[in-house]
């Protein structure tokens, strides 16, 4: 039979902050482990979440639809209920287990290195990737000591969040759990991070500089870097989308910015990713401000570049300007690409 749920848990969950939801997910994990001490029916053939429901509610989950035809559209109402129940049942399970047990309070996010078990102190929690991985599919967050590595990873197309100086490893753990990112860190921070997340989410970088670290990451994650991946993300904000403009358009916008022209006359520009996939069309005022309020940083472009370059790219999130030049060739040579 399908287990009935408690709506109060769902309503309360909607008002939790991201940090509170992360903490609750840890509590659910610990409570599920404690649930193993409940009286168990050794004759039961149920496994996993269904078995836990049987132990807590005396009824397993209804798995009848598990072997139904999931390629058929539209899905049957029973199939939709089955698909949603695995997630929704966690709320009443959490409520029931917290009222049944008095679990150890959630580990604080400020553990000392001395508190980390020896078995957790390993070089890498992320096993080497056996299969080739396109760089644009890898999603990571780099700790403060690896900020230089983070920018180089963006240069080769990796979706990389770079922790700010004002942020802590607590923030790295929260972002990793919320967005499913692998954490790249160094030294003692790795020992703490593995206790805040999961062993499979943390990798300890050993290279002494950003160049050596990039080579290390390429080898460990078996990265495949293609020509279109190079500089396909903004090195400043990680955005993969760029406004495309000709030298004439860029020069005109730069001139308007220099005379503080506040004209509201607008021109339309196409936005693409660097793999040449169209994203949208946005309007830009004559002084280089997009419809989203982003000011294109054309004041950083030297006049000589307009005669040397055929195409300019403006980051749609922060406005940083890019163009093809010797930096791409130098980067490829330096990193053997």
């Amino acid at each position: 039979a399908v287990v009935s749920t408690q709506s109060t848990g769902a309503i309360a969950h909607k008002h939790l902050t991201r940090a509170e939801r992360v903490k609750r997910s840890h509590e659910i994990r610990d409570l599920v482990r404690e649930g193993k001490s409940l009286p168990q029916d050794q004759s039961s053939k149920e496994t996993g979440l269904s078995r836990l429901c049987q132990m807590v509610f005396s009824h397993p989950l209804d798995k009848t639809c598990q072997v139904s035809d999931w390629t058929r559209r539209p899905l049957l109402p029973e199939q939709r209920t089955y698909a949603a129940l695995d997630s929704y049942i966690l709320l009443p399970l959490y409520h029931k287990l917290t009222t049944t047990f008095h679990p150890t309070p959630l580990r604080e996010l400020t553990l000392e290195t001395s508190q980390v078990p020896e078995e957790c102190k390993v070089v890498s929690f992320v096993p080497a990737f056996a299969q080739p991985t396109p760089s644009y599919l890898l999603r990571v967050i780099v700790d403060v000591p690896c900020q230089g590595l983070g920018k180089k990873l963006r240069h080769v197309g990796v979706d990389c969040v770079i922790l700010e100086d004002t942020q802590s490893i607590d923030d790295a753990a929260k972002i990793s759990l919320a967005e499913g990112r692998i954490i790249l860190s160094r030294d003692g921070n790795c020992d703490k991070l593995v206790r805040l997340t999961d062993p499979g989410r943390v990798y300890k970088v050993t290279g002494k500089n950003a160049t050596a670290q990039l080579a290390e990451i390429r080898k460990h994650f078996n990265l495949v870097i293609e020509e279109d991946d190079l500089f396909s993300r903004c090195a400043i904000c990680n955005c993969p989308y760029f406004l495309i403009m000709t030298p004439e358009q860029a020069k005109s916008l730069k001139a308007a910015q220099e005379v503080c022209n506040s004209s509201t006359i607008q021109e339309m520009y196409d936005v693409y990713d660097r793999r040449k996939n169209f994203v949208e069309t946005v309007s830009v005022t004559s002084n280089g401000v997009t419809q989203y309020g982003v000011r294109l940083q054309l004041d950083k472009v030297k006049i000589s570049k307009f005669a040397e370059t055929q195409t300019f790219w403006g980051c749609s999130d922060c406005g940083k300007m890019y163009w093809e030049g010797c930096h791409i060739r130098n980067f490829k040579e330096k990193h053997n690409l």
Side-chain angles (χ1 to χ4, degrees):
V2 176
V3 179
S4 62
T5 57
Q6 299 182 13
S7 59
T8 54
I11 294 173
H13 186 76
K14 290 168 61 178
H15 299 286
L16 295 178
T17 64
R18 175 188 288 182
E20 289 170 334
R21 293 185 184 184
V22 171
K23 288 185 177 182
R24 178 163 289 188
S25 69
H26 278 276
E27 290 178 340
I28 290 174
R29 182 180 64 187
D30 292 340
L31 287 167
V32 168
R33 290 170 180 168
E34 290 205 33
K36 293 179 180 179
S37 64
L38 285 168
Q40 300 185 30
D41 178 5
Q42 300 299 327
S43 64
S44 174
K45 296 182 180 180
E46 299 296 330
T47 60
L49 183 60
S50 181
R51 184 175 180 82
L52 181 61
C53 289
Q54 185 176 40
M55 291 155 54
V56 175
F57 299 116
S58 301
H59 291 287
L61 292 175
D62 186 349
K63 295 291 184 178
T64 305
C65 290
Q66 190 173 43
V67 294
S68 59
D69 182 4
W70 289 89
T71 63
R72 182 178 178 180
R73 292 294 185 274
L75 294 177
L76 298 173
E78 307 91 272
Q79 290 177 308
R80 293 196 294 270
T81 300
Y82 169 84
L85 192 58
D86 274 8
S87 296
Y88 191 76
I89 197 63
L90 293 177
L91 296 174
L93 272 174
Y94 174 82
H95 176 78
K96 180 67 175 178
L97 289 172
T98 51
T99 56
T100 303
F101 295 100
H102 298 286
T104 302
L106 178 69
R107 303 180 186 93
E108 293 297 329
L109 299 181
T110 55
L111 285 175
E112 296 299 327
T113 303
S114 60
Q115 294 176 275
V116 180
E118 287 299 324
E119 60 268 22
C120 291
K121 297 179 180 179
V122 297
V123 173
S124 170
F125 286 109
V126 182
F129 284 25
Q131 298 297 322
T133 305
S135 63
Y136 62 88
L137 293 182
L138 184 64
R139 306 180 74 241
V140 302
I141 175 171
V142 300
D143 197 0
V144 173
C146 299
Q147 289 176 332
L149 168 63
K151 289 186 177 181
K152 286 187 178 294
L153 288 173
R154 288 176 177 175
H155 287 336
V156 297
V158 174
D159 182 354
C160 178
V161 172
I162 301 176
L163 214 62
E164 301 289 342
D165 292 339
T166 56
Q167 294 178 291
S168 67
I169 61 172
D170 302 1
D171 298 305
K174 293 172 185 176
I175 294 172
S176 170
L177 289 170
E179 301 180 9
R181 295 179 181 272
I182 293 173
I183 305 175
L184 308 181
S185 187
R186 289 176 60 85
D187 306 324
N189 282 357
C190 289
D191 299 332
K192 297 179 182 180
L193 283 165
V194 75
R195 298 289 290 170
L196 305 180
T197 55
D198 300 307
R201 290 185 184 271
V202 181
Y203 177 81
K204 186 173 183 178
V205 179
T206 60
K208 294 183 178 181
N209 56 59
T211 299
Q213 291 168 359
L214 177 59
E216 175 186 346
I217 297 302
R218 286 179 63 190
K219 180 179 179 180
H220 188 84
F221 292 96
N222 203 355
L223 287 186
V224 176
I225 303 172
E226 299 180 350
E227 188 77 23
D228 287 342
D229 297 319
L230 297 179
F231 294 87
S232 58
R233 285 184 173 271
C234 178
I236 304 301
C237 69
N238 196 43
C239 177
Y241 306 127
F242 299 86
L243 284 77
I244 308 299
M245 61 186 68
T246 64
E248 293 74 20
Q249 291 172 317
K251 187 175 181 179
S252 174
L253 291 174
K254 177 181 174 66
Q257 287 183 345
E258 290 177 345
V259 297
C260 300
N261 187 344
S262 59
S263 172
T264 57
I265 299 175
Q266 297 180 341
E267 188 173 349
M268 306 305 293
Y269 290 81
D270 290 335
V271 176
Y272 287 82
D273 65 20
R274 290 297 290 272
R275 302 184 71 84
K276 302 179 177 62
N277 296 311
F278 175 77
V279 178
E280 63 175 340
T281 299
V282 300
S283 60
V284 180
T285 62
S286 59
N287 63 333
V289 178
T290 74
Q291 67 188 56
Y292 302 116
V294 176
R295 184 178 185 274
L296 298 174
Q297 299 175 24
L298 289 152
D299 54 311
K300 306 289 180 65
V301 183
K302 295 181 179 180
I303 292 294
S304 60
K305 296 299 178 183
F306 297 123
E308 301 172 359
T309 308
Q310 295 183 346
T311 307
F312 287 85
W313 293 270
C315 174
S316 63
D317 270 11
C318 73
K320 181 174 176 59
M321 297 300 301
Y322 295 89
W323 57 92
E324 291 186 2
C326 61
H327 61 286
I328 297 180
R329 182 179 66 255
N330 294 340
F331 185 87
K332 291 171 65 176
E333 292 176 354
K334 183 175 182 179
H335 299 284
N336 298 316
L337 294 173

